[in-house]
């Protein structure tokens, strides 16, 4: 497992063409919160695209999936997932561009903090469209530019920050694209990306940080915040400042 609730990565993987690894977001409260946000869609066979070490697989099963297949470009992470011996799961190393499954193999797919790392978003979505059944679900969680901190590594000249960096997401991409190691999205950008690649939009929303591993605030404040975390994304105007966008689409 990683050490941050945020997905922090270290740059391009030249061999695969993908973004290099990000630290796992699979901590107890974060997993429960994120899977609960999509639980009503989870049934049948599900794909965890960019599964890392499989930290969300059991939660997807608990939410209603009959089977979970996880894929990732990093063999050590897949090996770790396999060692967990979770019933009704299977894990595979992929090249980041193609999936080792037949057409219409899954009732749904979960793409958690992964879209921002893939080499070509449209190619990845086309492959997901291929393996999801007609009427099946794609649930995407990816960084939100309304959130005023860049949670991935920032490099400006010789200066490197691996901690959340303020205001970077609000600056023009033409300036920041060479500073950051992963994409982030205005809500409409992620919505359009999903909608333009074979999915009808079912739900759009926001995921808030849980401060599970990065205690920015006093412990008593964090406990109060976590007890009410389900409310924040539904507060008008304030809700849009979540750490990530949530977009749920249904395959046409």
């Amino acid at each position: 497992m990683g050490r941050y609730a945020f997905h922090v990565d270290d740059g391009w993987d030249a061999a695969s063409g993908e973004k290099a690894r990000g630290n796992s977001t699979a901590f107890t409260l974060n997993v429960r919160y994120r899977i609960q946000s999509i639980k009503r869609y989870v049934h049948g066979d599900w794909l965890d695209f960019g599964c890392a070490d499989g930290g969300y697989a059991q939660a997807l099963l608990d939410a209603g999936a009959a089977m979970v297949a996880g894929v990732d470009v990093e063999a050590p992470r897949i090996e770790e997932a396999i060692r967990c011996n979770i019933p009704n799961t299977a894990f595979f190393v992929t090249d980041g561009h193609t999936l080792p499954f037949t057409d219409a193999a899954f009732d749904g797919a979960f793409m958690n903090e992964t879209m921002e790392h893939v080499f070509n978003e449209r190619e990845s979505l086309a492959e997901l469209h291929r393996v999801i059944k007609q009427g099946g679900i794609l649930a995407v969680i990816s960084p939100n530019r309304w959130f005023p901190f860049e949670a991935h590594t920032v490099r400006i000249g010789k200066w490197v920050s691996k901690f959340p960096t303020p205001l970077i997401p609000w600056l023009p991409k033409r300036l920041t694209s060479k500073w950051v190691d992963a994409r982030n999205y205005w809500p409409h950008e992620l919505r359009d990306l999903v909608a333009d690649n074979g999915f009808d939009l079912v739900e759009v929303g926001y995921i808030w940080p849980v401060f599970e591993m990065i205690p920015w605030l006093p412990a008593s404040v964090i406990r109060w915040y976590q007890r009410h975390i389900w409310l924040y994304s539904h507060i008008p105007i304030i809700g849009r400042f979540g750490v990530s966008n949530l977009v749920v689409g249904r395959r046409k």
Side-chain angles (χ1 to χ4, degrees):
M1 294 292 181
R3 295 297 181 189
Y4 298 108
F6 293 102
H7 198 69
V8 184
D9 80 274
D10 295 316
W12 288 101
D13 181 333
S16 69
E18 303 293 318
K19 285 291 191 178
R21 71 178 292 166
N23 285 350
S24 175
T25 65
F27 295 96
T28 304
L29 178 58
N30 204 35
V31 170
R32 185 165 68 245
Y33 170 45
R34 290 177 179 232
I35 296 301
Q36 187 66 32
S37 298
I38 64 167
K39 181 177 180 179
R40 59 188 169 279
Y41 304 110
V42 180
H43 65 87
D45 296 340
W46 269 64
L47 171 66
D48 186 354
F49 185 97
C51 67
D53 46 21
Y56 284 81
Q58 186 63 60
L60 285 166
L61 291 169
D62 293 343
M67 184 278 290
V68 175
V71 298
D72 202 275
V73 297
E74 292 199 27
R77 286 187 154 184
I78 292 298
E79 291 167 4
E80 185 174 347
I82 292 171
R83 284 196 295 271
C84 292
N85 291 317
I86 304 171
N88 301 314
T89 63
F91 296 97
F92 306 88
V93 180
T94 70
D95 60 10
H97 305 285
T98 56
L99 293 170
F101 308 112
T102 60
D103 295 354
F106 296 99
D107 297 285
F110 182 48
M111 200 176 188
N112 178 56
E113 308 294 1
T114 301
M115 183 78 80
E116 65 272 22
H117 295 282
V118 301
F119 181 68
N120 186 302
E121 298 145 302
R122 294 183 183 278
E123 286 183 3
S124 294
L125 284 167
E127 189 69 345
L128 284 163
H129 186 272
R130 181 184 69 80
V131 301
I132 296 174
K133 297 174 183 177
Q134 185 174 9
I137 291 294
L138 172 64
V140 180
I141 298 175
S142 277
N144 174 25
R145 290 193 69 180
W146 279 113
F147 187 68
F149 291 86
E150 174 55 58
H152 298 86
T153 303
V154 176
R155 296 178 175 87
I156 304 176
K158 295 182 178 181
W159 180 78
V160 179
S161 171
K162 290 197 173 185
F163 295 95
T165 309
L167 302 181
I168 295 292
W170 291 359
L171 298 176
K173 284 186 179 180
R174 66 178 181 273
L175 296 177
T176 62
S177 60
K178 58 183 177 293
W179 298 344
V180 298
D181 288 334
R183 308 175 187 93
N184 50 31
Y185 302 91
W186 293 116
H188 73 273
E189 292 176 320
L190 193 60
R191 292 197 305 265
D192 291 348
L193 192 59
V194 172
D196 291 346
N197 286 276
F199 296 88
D200 292 320
L201 295 180
V202 176
E203 180 182 350
V204 295
Y206 303 96
I207 299 295
W208 275 62
V210 299
F211 299 122
E212 194 167 7
M213 295 303 295
I214 303 182
W216 292 1
L217 302 169
S220 59
V221 176
I222 289 177
R223 287 194 297 271
W224 181 90
Y225 169 90
Q226 290 174 342
R227 285 197 299 271
H228 299 87
I229 196 168
W230 299 102
L231 301 176
Y232 306 133
S233 62
H234 298 95
I235 300 174
I237 301 177
I238 292 174
R240 72 176 60 186
F241 291 95
V243 65
S244 295
N245 297 292
L246 168 65
V247 177
V248 178
R250 192 179 304 278
R251 185 194 184 281
K252 295 180 180 178

